[in-house]
Amino acid sequence: MPHTEQRVLIIGAGIIGLSIGWELARAGCQVDLFDRDEAGQGASSVAAGMLAPDAEIGFEETTLHALNTESRRRWPDFASKLEADTGADVGLRTEGTFIVADDRDAAEALRRRYRFQQNQGLEVEWQSGDEARDEEPFLAPHLSGAVWSPTDHQVDNQAVVKALQVAVEKHGGQLHEHTPIEAVVPNADRPGVVTNDGARVEGSTVIIAAGAWSQSIDGLNGALPIRPVKGEALRLKTKPTFDLQHVVRGPEAYVVPKNDGHVVVGATAEEKGFNDEVTARGLYKNLEGGWEVVPGLLDLPVTCTCASFRPASRDNAPVLGPVAPGIVAATGHYRHGILLTPVTAEEIARYVMTGTVSDWIEPFQPARFDAVSADLS
Ligand code: GLY
């Protein structure tokens, strides 16, 4: 079918749904995005915007790391195209990340991770606490060690989602906010969605990019085992006396300076369903964890406290590709939603337009969960 005759229905207008919608609308498809709330809210805005596959590499996650690295490689071009299309500044920063240890135990764990990073051929460098502090004076004194990861980037994720919304609409995409989708209706020719007021909308493809809510959409017999992993974070306003220049990951929290004069401190990780309370415990853990590695942040005014839900699959890797006739999954990005945006948008759009599952998304297809009951999510 020519792209101009394709009508693509996207469930979820977070950064993943918006970016896929942008790709497809630019290619000439008719795009409708449905969001249960408002576009770009939730995890897309609460996230800190780290593009840090090397700092966040998990042991035994080398296939995911390859996808993460590819997406980081694509970020500068993705950001330039989005900026050119909208005139927005999305705050891509390439100054690198310090991963730091504040005591002997943390230094031992960091050494182990550093050896794994070296073993994987990553561009990382071990530094003493003093060496790291020479580069980043806002680090705590007396750190037990640091790993310098120069190729990890960050972006202003809140600016990205705002720009994507403008860009989707500029290319004719229709945004339907406050429109929860109850169910999908698989069909190879005319798949559809059912809204919460019972209306049925048909298209040529349906994409599920509903993040932590992906499993609650009926019609797939539990084929998307996605659970919410709550994260709390806070934003502080910088002062002229506080000039942190790098992303800092400590053992208990990360601290991320943004171009708009804020610092994000996060994030907790808890599995307690869709409870979105911001708790005293969450604030305490983030502030204590942030203070241990960047003590100056305690003097900054708090502008925002927030919680959202990372969408995690059973193996904590993203779920990308066809899941039922006419239905495509683009969800389960867990800790890497902002990082994985370009590769997800481009490869899912490619699948919609050509029917080809690329080598990048092949290992992450939903079919890997078929053999096991969805009750085990
Ligand atoms: N990637 C950051 C987080 O999950 O908190």
Side-chain angles (χ1 to χ4, degrees):
M1 189 188 295
H3 303 157
T4 47
E5 287 173 25
Q6 292 202 35
R7 183 180 188 196
V8 183
L9 312 178
I10 302 177
I11 308 172
I15 194 165
I16 297 295
L18 285 167
S19 59
I20 297 169
W22 180 50
E23 290 290 329
L24 290 170
R26 269 163 49 229
C29 301
Q30 186 185 333
V31 171
D32 287 87
L33 280 137
F34 302 87
D35 199 280
R36 56 190 300 281
D37 195 350
E38 285 175 15
Q41 300 303 302
S44 303
S45 287
V46 173
M50 288 176 291
L51 311 176
D54 295 353
E56 296 194 344
I57 188 170
F59 297 109
E60 319 310 334
E61 284 187 350
T62 48
T63 308
L64 177 59
H65 182 257
L67 187 73
N68 287 346
T69 306
E70 172 63 11
S71 204
R72 180 185 60 191
R73 189 188 70 75
R74 295 186 191 195
W75 249 107
D77 191 45
F78 182 87
S80 305
K81 276 195 282 196
L82 185 56
E83 290 181 339
D85 203 15
T86 60
D89 175 354
V90 300
L92 183 73
R93 293 174 49 160
T94 57
E95 69 276 335
T97 294
F98 281 104
I99 317 155
V100 300
D102 61 332
D103 62 22
R104 266 179 65 178
D105 282 355
E108 200 49 47
L110 187 57
R111 276 258 181 224
R112 209 154 35 90
R113 179 170 296 270
Y114 173 62
R115 282 195 290 272
F116 180 66
Q117 290 168 321
Q118 279 191 309
N119 182 271
Q120 296 298 311
L122 308 188
E123 190 182 335
V124 285
E125 179 189 320
W126 183 269
Q127 296 185 346
S128 68
D130 286 346
E131 284 169 331
R133 203 154 180 257
D134 283 346
E135 292 297 318
E136 178 47 80
F138 283 83
L139 286 174
H142 315 304
L143 290 173
S144 312
V147 171
W148 167 233
S149 178
T151 52
D152 283 331
H153 307 332
Q154 61 140 316
V155 72
D156 182 341
N157 43 299
Q158 295 188 346
V160 172
V161 288
K162 280 191 198 128
L164 281 170
Q165 189 175 337
V166 169
V168 166
E169 292 183 322
K170 173 180 165 182
H171 293 282
Q174 300 282 323
L175 199 51
H176 309 273
E177 296 185 314
H178 305 288
T179 309
I181 297 300
E182 293 285 317
V184 292
V185 185
N187 185 293
D189 299 319
R190 295 301 291 167
V193 300
V194 181
T195 66
N196 68 328
D197 55 11
R200 181 169 164 159
V201 184
E202 287 186 351
S204 47
T205 306
V206 174
I207 297 175
I208 300 180
W213 285 269
S214 300
Q215 182 163 248
S216 59
I217 298 166
D218 287 339
L220 292 174
N221 294 324
L224 293 178
I226 304 293
R227 67 189 196 283
V229 179
K230 180 183 178 187
E232 290 185 44
L234 61 152
R235 282 183 181 247
L236 310 173
K237 182 110 184 78
T238 53
K239 290 179 171 175
T241 49
F242 182 91
D243 190 23
L244 182 73
Q245 287 298 321
H246 299 87
V247 175
V248 179
R249 290 192 70 93
E252 306 297 337
Y254 46 75
V255 184
V256 183
K258 311 306 285 188
N259 282 357
D260 70 354
H262 285 89
V263 185
V264 183
V265 186
T268 59
E270 287 180 286
E271 307 222 10
K272 44 167 56 176
F274 285 101
N275 173 337
D276 66 356
E277 289 165 348
V278 174
T279 63
R281 180 197 306 274
L283 292 173
Y284 173 72
K285 285 183 89 164
N286 282 329
L287 283 173
E288 187 189 38
W291 164 77
E292 279 167 349
V293 294
V294 183
L297 61 77
L298 280 197
D299 294 324
L300 303 178
V302 177
T303 58
C304 176
T305 59
C306 43
S308 72
F309 304 101
R310 305 173 184 89
S313 73
R314 203 154 46 221
D315 60 10
N316 294 333
V319 186
L320 306 171
V323 62
I327 316 286
V328 179
T331 186
H333 292 78
Y334 190 36
R335 289 186 171 276
H336 305 297
I338 310 299
L339 170 61
L340 285 170
T341 292
V343 80
T344 301
E346 290 164 10
E347 300 305 323
I348 292 292
R350 190 191 315 278
Y351 173 73
V352 170
M353 291 188 287
T354 67
T356 305
V357 173
S358 72
D359 290 348
W360 286 113
I361 61 173
E362 202 279 333
F364 302 100
Q365 290 200 70
R368 71 187 189 275
F369 299 119
D370 277 0
V372 195
S373 159
D375 293 345
L376 300 179
S377 67

